Amino acid sequence: MSCQSITILGATGSIGQNTIDVIERHPTRFRVHALSGFRRMDLLAQSAHRTQAQRVVVPDQARAAAFRQAWPKASPLPQIDIGQSALSEIAAADQTDIVMAAIVGVAGLPAVFAAATAGKRILLANKEALVAAGSLLMAAVKRHGATLLPIDSEHNAIFQCLPPAPNGQIDQSGVRRLVLTASGGPFRQMPLTQLATVTPAQACAHPNWAMGQKISVDSATMLNKGLEVIEAHWLFDMSAAQIEVLIHPQSIVHSMVQYNDGSVLAQLGNPDMRTPIAHALGYPARIEAGVDMLDLATHGRLDFEPVQTERYPCLGLAYQALRAGQGACIALNAANEVAVQQFLDGQISYLEIVDIVCSTLDWQVGTSTAAINSIDDVLALDQAARTFARQWRPSSQVSHFASSNLC
Ligand code: NAD
Ligand code: MG
C-alpha cells in the first residue's frame, strides 16, 4: 500500500495530538504534509519536527516568530504560512491525500469546505463546521467526490454499525433510529441547586475523556450531544425524531443503530479517541491504534438511563434548532462558542451558558430571514449571532424558547 500524505488542522489540540500518536505507529502508511496550530507554538514546533512536516500554518507573524524560536536550531525549518487562507490552502493542497479536521469551532469551517471542494478524504472531528454549514458541506462532499469519515466517537460508532454501501457511502435502509450515547458529564449526579456555582475546572473534569476545554464544557451542559444530534442528522440523513440520546455513564458503548427488525447494533471500546481516529485513517483496513483492549469482565456492568431534561436544557435547545433550520443551528453554535469562552474566562456563571444560547436562538428565529447559500452567508450569520450573544446581559428579556420549558 502506498504511503498517504496527511494534513492535520488543529495539530496541537487533543485530537491533533492523538492523530499524531496513531500515525507515528504506521510510518510506512502515513506521512505528514502539513500541521496547523493556533497558540502553543512550542508544541507545534515539536510536533512538526517529530513528524517531519513540510509546512505549518500559524495565525500571525508573532506566532510565526515564536515557532521559529521554538524550532531546533540544527534542523531546516518547514515552510511557515500565516492565516485563515493558508489553512484552506493546506487543506486543499495537491500534496495532501487526507485532511484531519481537528480545529475547534466554526473557525475550522472554511478549511473543511476547501478540503471538500478539493475532493479530499476528510476525517471530521470539527463538528461545529457541520452544525453550521451541514447542507453546504454535504453538497460539496457529494459534488466533488470527497469522502467524509466521522471522528466523533458516536458518529464513528454509527458509521461502523450501518451497512456499507459502494463508494464509501452508507446505506440507511431498514434503519429505525440512531441512539447516541452520552456520559452525562461531570455534573450527572450533582444536585441541581449546586450547578449555579460550578467552576470551569469542575466543568472541564470529564469523568471518562481527556479533551479540549470547549468540548469538555459542552459535555457538561450536553450542548455537545446537541451538536452531535445535528451532526448525525447531516452525516446519516436522519430526522430529529429518528435520533435519540441515552445516558451511558461508562462511555463503553459509543452509540447504536436500531433496525426495523428489532436488531440493535452497537460499537464498543474503551473511551480512547485513537480508536475512531485509527478507524478512519485506515478505513476500510483495521490498523493498530495503541488502545488498551476492552475487558468487559473487568468493567462488570454497563448502565443506561434516560436524559433528565431539566439538568441538560441545552440538549432540548439543539433539537429545537435542528427543527427550526440552518440559521438556528448557526446561532446555537455561535452563541455557545461565545458563552463557553465567557464561562472559561470567569465572566459568566455556568447556568448563564444556557441563557445566552436560548436568547440568541430566540433572536435568530425572531429576526433573521437571511438566506444561507454560501459559506460567506454562514459566517455572516455566525458573526451577527456572536455579536448578539456578547451583548447579552442577565436582565435580557425571557425568550420564547423559555416558554417551552427548556430554559
Ligand atoms: P482542542 O482545544 O484540544 O484543540 C483545538 C485545536 O484547534 C488546537 O490545535 C488549536 O490550536 C486550534 N484552534 C483553536 N482555535 C483556532 C482558530 N480560531 N483558528 C485555527 N485553529 C484554532 O480541541 P479538541 O478537543 O482537540 O477538539 C477539536 C475538535 O474535535 C472540536 O470540534 C471537538 O468538538 C471535536 N472532538 C473532540 C473530541 C476529543 O476527544 N477531544 C472528541 C470528539 C470531537
Ligand atoms: Mg462525541
Side-chain angles (χ1 to χ4, degrees):
M1 124 140 248
S2 65
C3 191
Q4 290 181 296
S5 167
I6 176 162
T7 283
I8 306 176
L9 306 170
T12 54
S14 165
I15 294 289
Q17 291 291 302
N18 274 312
T19 304
I20 291 173
D21 182 288
V22 176
I23 62 179
E24 283 184 327
R25 294 167 194 275
H26 304 277
T28 57
R29 197 183 262 270
F30 305 111
R31 68 189 146 78
V32 169
H33 172 59
L35 301 179
S36 87
F38 200 64
R39 284 197 186 85
R40 303 177 58 191
M41 291 302 117
D42 49 342
L43 182 57
L44 184 64
Q46 194 194 91
S47 303
H49 188 253
R50 252 178 45 207
T51 59
Q52 298 175 13
Q54 307 292 297
R55 297 174 71 175
V56 294
V57 174
V58 300
D60 51 38
Q61 289 291 356
R63 248 68 69 98
F67 179 87
R68 284 191 202 94
Q69 187 78 31
W71 187 257
K73 297 286 171 276
S75 307
L77 270 168
Q79 181 179 329
I80 305 173
D81 295 302
I82 291 173
Q84 181 67 249
S85 60
L87 284 176
S88 296
E89 205 190 303
I90 57 167
D94 287 343
Q95 300 91 330
T96 295
D97 304 310
I98 302 173
V99 176
M100 166 54 84
I103 289 174
V104 60
V106 145
L109 171 59
V112 175
F113 194 73
T117 306
K120 299 296 181 193
R121 175 169 171 134
I122 305 168
L123 278 44
L124 187 78
N126 182 200
K127 65 190 85 180
E128 297 90 348
L130 201 53
V131 167
S135 60
L136 294 166
L137 203 47
M138 295 309 287
V141 164
K142 206 166 174 186
R143 191 172 331 117
H144 299 283
T147 304
L148 195 59
L149 294 172
I151 293 299
D152 220 343
S153 56
E154 297 76 3
H155 306 74
N156 184 270
I158 289 168
F159 182 76
Q160 294 194 46
C161 294
L162 286 169
N167 311 323
Q169 304 293 306
I170 39 180
D171 172 8
Q172 306 97 326
S173 56
V175 174
R176 176 68 58 95
R177 62 184 183 147
L178 308 179
V179 182
L180 299 181
T181 52
S183 69
F187 306 138
R188 182 173 63 90
Q189 293 174 312
M190 181 178 275
L192 291 178
T193 50
Q194 289 177 22
L195 288 179
T197 55
V198 296
T199 64
Q202 285 174 295
C204 288
H206 196 281
N208 306 334
W209 300 94
M211 307 181 286
Q213 284 191 313
K214 192 255 176 188
I215 185 175
S216 297
V217 176
D218 287 351
S219 298
T221 61
M222 254 213 223
L223 199 286
N224 179 54
K225 209 53 54 182
L227 298 179
E228 291 182 357
V229 168
I230 300 170
E231 186 184 7
H233 161 76
W234 289 114
L235 284 173
F236 307 119
D237 196 17
M238 292 278 155
S239 69
Q242 290 174 294
I243 306 168
E244 186 187 318
V245 176
L246 180 67
I247 297 227
H248 167 46
Q250 292 93 350
S251 300
I252 297 291
V253 176
H254 296 304
S255 277
M256 301 178 252
V257 177
Q258 185 167 66
Y259 288 87
N260 286 336
D261 62 5
S263 297
V264 176
L265 299 195
Q267 185 260 354
L268 284 71
N270 282 320
D272 187 325
M273 288 307 293
R274 290 177 300 176
T275 293
I277 290 168
H279 172 264
L281 276 170
Y283 183 79
R286 295 281 182 172
I287 63 172
E288 175 63 40
V291 174
D292 289 342
M293 291 294 121
L294 177 63
D295 177 2
L296 281 173
T298 306
H299 285 280
R301 56 185 279 179
L302 300 175
D303 297 304
F304 301 92
E305 56 192 64
V307 178
Q308 292 173 29
T309 50
E310 69 280 16
R311 184 177 295 277
Y312 304 107
C314 284
L315 179 61
L317 292 180
Y319 272 101
Q320 289 202 29
L322 176 54
R323 291 191 168 100
Q326 192 70 66
C329 293
I330 294 168
L332 172 95
N333 179 67
N336 182 57
E337 287 193 31
V338 167
V340 169
Q341 195 56 53
Q342 290 184 341
F343 171 65
L344 288 169
D345 293 342
Q347 293 167 12
I348 61 166
S349 72
Y350 176 78
L351 291 179
E352 284 173 330
I353 296 174
V354 67
D355 292 340
I356 291 177
V357 173
C358 196
S359 300
T360 310
L361 267 181
D362 189 37
W363 162 82
Q364 191 279 329
V365 171
T367 60
S368 175
T369 52
I372 296 155
N373 298 317
S374 67
I375 296 298
D376 284 345
D377 293 341
V378 172
L379 297 176
L381 179 52
D382 172 81
Q383 280 306 321
R386 281 167 198 266
T387 302
F388 180 90
R390 285 196 195 97
Q391 287 165 356
W392 178 89
R393 295 291 173 271
S395 58
S396 298
Q397 64 179 27
V398 176
S399 76
H400 78 235
F401 275 88
S403 62
S404 61
N405 287 332
L406 283 163
C407 296

